[in-house]
Amino acid sequence: MKCPKCNADMKEGWISEQGQGIRPVQWTEGAPEPSWLTGNKIPSKDKVWNVVTFCCANCGYLESYARKP
């Protein structure tokens, strides 16, 4: 993949979310539904996609995409 800003090569990676451990960021379809126990209701797995992020090796530009697991 080439950087849309400077045309250098981009490397695939992921952005971590820290809480109770380190895990990849995920995209969830629909609006969040509040839950008094967990903050938000846990969605069904078919509504959650993994987020992959590409970083330009030259200028540091980031570009993210959601992928079905």
Side-chain angles (χ1 to χ4, degrees):
M1 184 172 198
K2 295 288 184 183
C3 177
K5 301 284 185 186
C6 71
N7 206 38
D9 289 332
M10 294 185 82
K11 297 181 180 185
E12 184 175 338
W14 56 285
I15 297 173
S16 64
E17 182 175 346
Q18 297 180 7
Q20 293 183 2
I22 297 174
R23 58 188 175 150
V25 174
Q26 295 179 318
W27 176 84
T28 306
E29 181 181 337
E33 295 181 47
S35 167
W36 67 271
L37 186 58
T38 60
N40 285 302
K41 290 184 181 178
I42 298 170
S44 62
K45 290 184 180 185
D46 64 326
K47 293 187 179 241
V48 178
W49 295 26
N50 294 326
V51 174
V52 61
T53 302
F54 293 86
C55 179
C56 177
N58 182 52
C59 71
Y61 175 77
L62 297 176
E63 189 161 297
S64 297
Y65 296 90
R67 288 188 185 159
K68 282 191 175 188

